[in-house]
Amino acid sequence: MELSDDQQRGFRENGFLIFPNLFGEAETEALRADLGRMRDIESDHVVRERTGGLRTVFRVHENDGPTQSEPFHALSRSPRLLKPATQVLGDDDVYIYHSKVNTKVAIEGTVWLWHQDYGYWYWDGVPTSNMVTSMVLLDEATELNGCLYIVPGSHELGRLEPYADEETTSYKQWTIERERLVKVLKESPAPVPIVGGPGTAVVFHANVLHASGHNLSPRDRWQVYFVYNPVANKPTEVVNPRPDYVRSVNFEPIRPMDDGAILAHAATSA
Ligand code: SIN
Ligand code: MN
């Protein structure tokens, strides 16, 4: 799937692109089924809310480790995600920096505070912000169930220094100091809600400002994120690097799999 000139311009200007229904119902069903299988795993790769519900499952893109998954491995290498990512990055040799599924379960699922991903990836030693995240909705996302919001054009703000918030949720989050955030949000275009049916995808730049609210609805909001980084932009050595499941050291460039691989692998892992 080649991006048109208009789409490429849109990404440069807004810092993100939306692809409605990029994946079909059978594919999202297969992915959901495999995630269901992982729900009770006890591992540092799996984060729960303070109230116990599943919040995040990390590292679903490899064929090894506690959260390995053949369908998610295939999704991470799908040409429908990989081609646009390499195009906007301007580099064919990319590896996966990390992956995660955020489940944000009905009623219980809590917020993701305003942040830029490169805010903390910079502290991981990544030299530049030329990285993208491709997110795929596995459920319908609505404003009520805590969809993601993206501030258009915010990648042009450069990196806003973050701080660690360890109070708001069960998971330490990097966010931006309140006064700065209020000023930036007042001066920016209105945040865009990333709503849509399962299979919808969005690709966004690592400096895009984004957040999501609590899930007030009776329905889960499952979304998967793959972060693509050019091998040329791999992290430099840092003291106490974060673990592999959030900052991968598998720098081998990934290659596209067959477009039918998600369903083919769903069948073999069932
Ligand atoms: C994130 O930005 O890391 C997650 C946001 C979300 O799942 O709503
Ligand atoms: Mn993020």
Side-chain angles (χ1 to χ4, degrees), residues 53 63 65 78 83 115 125 204 217 237 254:
N63 271 338
S78 155
K83 183 70 199 163
H115 66 282
F204 58 95
S217 86
E237 274 186 37
I254 53 166

Side-chain angles (χ1 to χ4, degrees), residues 41-48 56-58 66-67 171 243-246:
I41 292 172
E42 290 297 332
S43 159
D44 55 0
H45 295 34
V46 177
V47 181
R48 296 182 204 285
T56 300
V57 178
F58 282 106
T67 48
Y171 185 70
D244 176 78
Y245 67 89
V246 281

Side-chain angles (χ1 to χ4, degrees), residues 35 39 47-49 53-57 100-106 109-110 112 138-139 145 215 219-225:
L35 187 68
R39 152 182 287 164
V47 181
R48 296 182 204 285
E49 303 284 359
L54 187 65
R55 179 176 173 91
T56 300
V57 178
K100 64 180 178 188
V101 184
N102 286 343
T103 48
K104 198 179 277 195
V105 296
T110 52
W112 288 87
L138 301 176
D139 284 311
N145 77 1
N215 186 349
R219 293 182 217 298
D220 293 358
R221 190 226 64 176
W222 290 9
Q223 302 186 159
V224 60
Y225 300 74

Side-chain angles (χ1 to χ4, degrees), residues 30-228:
L31 293 158
R32 290 175 51 81
D34 206 48
L35 187 68
R37 175 186 62 81
M38 288 190 265
R39 152 182 287 164
D40 296 325
I41 292 172
E42 290 297 332
S43 159
D44 55 0
H45 295 34
V46 177
V47 181
R48 296 182 204 285
E49 303 284 359
R50 289 200 179 111
T51 44
L54 187 65
R55 179 176 173 91
T56 300
V57 178
F58 282 106
R59 199 174 182 274
V60 292
H61 65 280
E62 298 283 19
N63 271 338
D64 60 17
T67 48
Q68 65 179 290
S69 161
E70 291 206 11
F72 281 100
H73 174 265
L75 177 65
S76 69
R77 286 143 173 95
S78 155
R80 282 170 280 175
L81 292 185
L82 199 49
K83 183 70 199 163
T86 53
Q87 248 185 298
V88 297
L89 290 168
D91 198 327
D92 282 339
D93 285 340
V94 303
Y95 72 98
I96 298 180
Y97 188 74
H98 78 213
S99 63
K100 64 180 178 188
V101 184
N102 286 343
T103 48
K104 198 179 277 195
V105 296
I107 305 296
E108 214 180 335
T110 52
V111 302
W112 288 87
L113 301 170
W114 285 110
H115 66 282
Q116 298 165 309
D117 292 333
Y118 187 63
Y120 47 93
W121 295 341
Y122 168 85
W123 289 113
D124 280 342
V126 183
T128 81
S129 63
N130 189 33
M131 307 170 77
V132 290
T133 298
S134 300
M135 172 182 98
V136 181
L137 310 187
L138 301 176
D139 284 311
E140 184 177 8
T142 65
E143 299 208 42
L144 193 66
N145 77 1
C147 71
L148 190 73
Y149 288 89
I150 286 181
V151 178
S154 50
H155 61 308
E156 297 289 6
L157 295 167
R159 184 176 165 273
L160 308 169
E161 190 61 45
Y163 75 92
D165 174 306
E166 305 204 43
E167 304 300 321
T168 307
T169 69
S170 62
Y171 185 70
K172 177 166 92 175
Q173 299 186 53
W174 293 88
T175 186
I176 294 150
E177 182 262 318
R178 186 181 170 279
E179 264 178 43
R180 181 101 192 259
L181 199 49
V182 168
K183 186 170 186 302
V184 165
L185 289 172
K186 279 185 176 166
E187 291 170 356
S188 300
V192 174
I194 308 297
V195 291
T200 295
V202 55
V203 56
F204 58 95
H205 186 278
N207 265 342
V208 145
L209 193 57
H210 59 285
S212 67
H214 196 97
N215 186 349
L216 296 173
S217 86
R219 293 182 217 298
D220 293 358
R221 190 226 64 176
W222 290 9
Q223 302 186 159
V224 60
Y225 300 74
F226 300 107
V227 181
Y228 299 100

